[in-house]
């Protein structure tokens, strides 16, 4: 009779225990023998395509404050998924530098406690987007004085776009609405000259709310190990029903995936 113990299509997630050691990345075993692909029907090719998509899908690490996702963190996760990323969520208190291995990008939500993250992702050779301003100094984006080098501001709906940058895509220069109701926005100041300054807080051109560093760019006492981004969305801003431009600043893919 038929056996249910012999797997014809199977896979391992990155880090999963295999017979010997752990999977370095996703691994798939597929049923097709030497000549089988020549005889595939449409279903056979659909299975092949699905396995290829699963094995090759880039993954994002989303670092959050709690295993029970806030509305904002849930929207961040959904947005990353919509960009074609398999999202791995990690609570900041349990996060390790090694969690960034094999990821296309790390996104650190403003829901985290900065002390739970510290410098764990400072030197990872993976693109990192940071929404928590108290990590901007740990990441060497800026210096370390709150309200001088980084901070936040309540009850904002608009940003001032600096012009055409790789971080804002087709969003036009000038003041533009990015959330549909007032929210907390975060910012950094006194950035090194190598920083890409994409948007600022309304009325405070020195407070940069979207910025980035290319790989190898000079940050504060560190060359960027990979692309780095600071992003304006405070704790609840992503949970807001974002205005169209709030979606547009994410672009077609996360930083480092173009």
């Amino acid at each position: 009779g038929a056996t249910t113990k012999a797997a014809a299509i199977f896979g391992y997630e990155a880090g999963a225990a295999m017979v010997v050691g752990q999977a370095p990345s996703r691994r798939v075993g597929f049923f097709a023998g030497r000549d089988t692909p020549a005889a595939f029907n449409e279903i056979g090719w659909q299975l092949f395509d699905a396995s290829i998509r699963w094995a090759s899908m880039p993954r994002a690490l989303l670092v959050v404050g709690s295993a029970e996702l806030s509305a904002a963190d849930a929207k961040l996760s959904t947005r990353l998924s919509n960009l074609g990323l398999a999202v791995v969520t990690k609570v900041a208190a349990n996060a390790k530098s090694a969690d960034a291995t094999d990821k296309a990008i790390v996104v650190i939500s403003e829901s985290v406690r900065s002390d739970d993250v510290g410098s764990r992702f400072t030197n990872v050779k993976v693109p990192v987007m940071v929404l928590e301003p108290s990590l901007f100094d740990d990441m060497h984006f800026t210096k370390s004085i709150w309200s001088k080098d980084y901070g936040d501001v309540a009850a904002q709906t608009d940003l001032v776009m600096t012009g055409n940058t790789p971080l804002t895509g087709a969003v036009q220069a000038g003041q533009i609405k990015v959330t549909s109701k007032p929210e907390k926005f975060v910012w950094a100041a006194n950035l090194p000259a190598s920083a890409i300054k994409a948007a600022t807080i309304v009325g405070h051109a020195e407070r940069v709310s979207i910025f980035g560093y290319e790989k190898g760019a000079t940050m504060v006492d560190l060359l960027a190990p990979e692309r780095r981004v600071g992003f304006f969305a405070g704790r609840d801003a992503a949970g807001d029903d974002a205005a169209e431009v709030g979606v547009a600043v994410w672009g077609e893919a996360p930083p480092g995936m173009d």
Side-chain angles (χ1 to χ4, degrees), residues 200-221:
T200 63
I201 299 296
V202 174
H204 294 275
E206 77 284 3
R207 295 181 173 182
V208 186
S209 49
I210 302 175
F211 61 92
Y213 294 96
E214 286 285 2
K215 178 181 179 180
T218 299
M219 302 193 297
V220 176
D221 300 323

Side-chain angles (χ1 to χ4, degrees), residues 10 13 53 62-63 87 102 105 137 187 201 213 234 245 247 250:
F10 59 93
E13 279 285 5
R53 283 194 295 269
L62 177 60
V63 184
V87 181
D102 201 37
I105 189 167
D137 57 338
W187 54 267
I201 299 296
Y213 294 96
V245 70
V247 172
W250 282 83

Side-chain angles (χ1 to χ4, degrees), residues 181-193:
K181 62 184 179 67
E183 296 287 359
K184 179 176 71 174
F185 290 177
V186 308
W187 54 267
N190 304 310
L191 300 176

Side-chain angles (χ1 to χ4, degrees), residues 23-50:
S25 190
R26 284 183 171 180
R27 297 291 188 259
V28 174
F30 198 75
F31 71 92
R34 183 190 303 267
D35 299 317
T36 309
F40 276 172
N41 61 15
E42 185 59 30
I43 298 299
W45 283 118
Q46 287 179 18
L47 294 171
F48 179 83
D49 292 351

Side-chain angles (χ1 to χ4, degrees), residues 11-28 59 90 96 98-99 101-103:
Y12 294 95
E13 279 285 5
M18 301 193 296
V19 175
V20 177
Q22 294 179 313
S25 190
R26 284 183 171 180
R27 297 291 188 259
V28 174
R59 299 192 302 157
K90 194 81 172 181
K96 305 182 296 294
D99 294 326
T101 302
D102 201 37
K103 304 300 189 299

Side-chain angles (χ1 to χ4, degrees), residues 47-114:
L47 294 171
F48 179 83
D49 292 351
S51 293
I52 290 291
R53 283 194 295 269
W54 181 82
S56 61
M57 180 181 290
R59 299 192 302 157
L61 176 65
L62 177 60
V63 184
V64 297
S66 170
E68 184 175 344
L69 296 186
S70 66
D73 286 344
K75 285 202 171 186
L76 288 174
S77 179
T78 297
R79 186 63 184 178
L80 290 167
S81 295
N82 291 344
L83 287 168
L85 294 157
V87 181
V88 178
T89 302
K90 194 81 172 181
V91 175
N94 301 322
K96 305 182 296 294
S97 300
D99 294 326
T101 302
D102 201 37
K103 304 300 189 299
I105 189 167
V106 176
V107 177
I108 304 175
S109 167
E110 213 246 338
S111 66
V112 305
R113 291 180 66 253
S114 59

